[in-house]
Amino acid sequence: MSNEWVEPASVEVVHEPPSPPLRSGHDPHCSLLIAHCSQQFGAVPALASVNLAVRPGEFVCLVGPSGCGKTSLLRILAGLARPTGGTAYLAGRVATVFQGQSLFPWLTAVDNVAYGLQLAGMPTARRREIAIEQLRRVGLERFARAYPHTLSGGMQQRVNIARALAVNPDVLLMDEPFGSLDEQTRILMQEQLVALWQGSDTTVLFVTHSVDEAVAMGDRVCVMSARPGRIILDLPIDLPRPRTRYADREGIAFRATATRIWNVLEQGLRTED
Amino acid sequence: MKDRTMIAAESTEREIRQGIRLRPQSLPLSPRRERWLAFLSPLFLLLLWEIAARSGLLNAIFFPPPTAILGALKRLTLSGELPLDMLATTRRVVVGFVLGFIPAAAVGLLMGLSGTLRAVLLPITSLIYAIPKIAILPLFLVIFGLGEQSKVAMIVASSFFFVLLNAMAGVLAIDRLHLDVAHAFGASRWQVIRTVALPGALPLVLTGARLALGFSLIVAVGSEFVIPGGHGIGTRIWLSWQILDIEQMYAGLIAAALLGVLLNFLMDEIERRLLPYRRGT
């Protein structure tokens, strides 16, 4: 595998004045806009003309079968890859939560959280102060000086989220952040993430392969087809919150929504062959 | 008369009892006992050696009794000769190592960062790396003459390639994900190097340094054998051969071992300080 450097910032980023938080209703502004976005790896098409508009403050979940290009799309938005065709616009500051062990093993939890602020040139004392505050929000201020390998998977992922939130992002991109966690931790993390998001005006794009996770958290769930990925369903979730706990998922409305998404997912899978 | 089940029960019980009696032997030794054994067993061997050498069982010309070696060690230390030798060899190793390490770490990291530079330099470096460094000694003698410069140059040459190749491998071994994180947070190229490439490559750079230091000592002693003049552990050992002073030779070997242990300890301490997150892993 080549270890060449990827040219950063391949996405056109439009800086707009921060819009007021909006959970419902109509807003002409988009926090995130993807238009006719396609990507090709050699002869293999990964994304086929993806269109998506996300309002400020919205929580959108993106589900799809593995290998459908969810991660490719997120990498484009995070500025780590260039789309072959089309455009992607992001309004304001973006932060990304990656899947897997993305914390720097050589930094303590507090310095990991302060990383984005360090890059921005903030003095050490000030950025640590903010990082500790973020760790407190995810309930880990006691572990500020711990190194990542001494933390459990769930704790690492909370530090990871704190690191993204520390830069006070307008848009939060999350790539299967809870994928490697056990079921109980996962539900707990979903609950905490929704609580954090409700207390902010951040727009969230959450990539997952779990339909239940998407329905439990999202204002909207977008379903992608198998490769080459495109959005085949864009479904607003009107179920009352909170709906992250296990019992919430047993309701008829929740199950009906999940089943509807599953049916579309299956269709998307079959069109491939 | 006992029935079968009772006999079976009794024999099981016997097995369990034996098991209990046997178990302590298979358990690891207590730390205290282990330390005592580690301390006593070499002493015991030395005692055996002493007896064998004194009784003529061992040829005392090749294997003089430990007390005689200890005497030579004491004499050479008190006269200041052996400390001077150790100091001279240490100086050469440290100077040569530092002179080799600095450019090697820089070039190695750059080779890890730039595919072009790697393509240009890797074939040449791999080729030179493959040469046993001691084979270059005659060439250095021609270039630098029969003196101090050649000794140091040998150490520079042997350190350089270990550090270079490990520094390069260190950068290449960095997790892609960590580079992505830096880019996603908007790091500039220089920031990526400073906040991810350098700390990420550091463990392997230090591994290279440890190897380089070890080989530096070997090469230093080897060069001191061949190049006359000045102090040095190699010079001391070679001289002992020429005048057939075996006890002094053993004293030199002990000094060399001591130096090796010291350098290793130094690297442990450096790693402990520079890689605090590796502690207890």
Side-chain angles (χ1 to χ4, degrees), chain A residues 155-227:
Chain A
M155 284 155 100
Q156 286 183 23
Q157 227 33 293
R158 269 142 77 194
V159 175
N160 210 338
I161 291 167
R163 177 169 70 179
L165 292 177
V167 298
N168 195 19
D170 299 300
V171 181
L172 186 59
L173 305 172
M174 306 184 86
D175 186 8
E176 301 197 20
F178 309 146
S180 56
L181 303 180
D182 60 85
E183 192 72 26
Q184 292 100 310
T185 313
R186 196 172 173 146
I187 289 177
L188 212 67
M189 298 286 299
Q190 291 165 358
E191 198 175 303
Q192 288 178 1
L193 177 63
V194 169
L196 282 172
W197 163 74
Q198 281 174 326
S200 73
D201 51 7
T202 309
T203 310
V204 179
L205 183 64
F206 189 101
V207 166
T208 177
H209 60 254
S210 158
V211 172
D212 271 28
E213 186 166 78
V215 177
M217 291 195 298
D219 287 330
R220 262 162 82 197
V221 174
C222 293
V223 181
M224 278 178 86
S225 67
R227 187 187 289 249

Side-chain angles (χ1 to χ4, degrees), chain B residues 266-278:
Chain B
L266 183 76
M267 272 317 298
D268 284 345
E269 194 54 31
I270 288 173
E271 277 189 359
R272 213 176 58 82
R273 274 166 202 236
L274 291 183
L275 308 174
Y277 62 96
R278 290 258 169 136

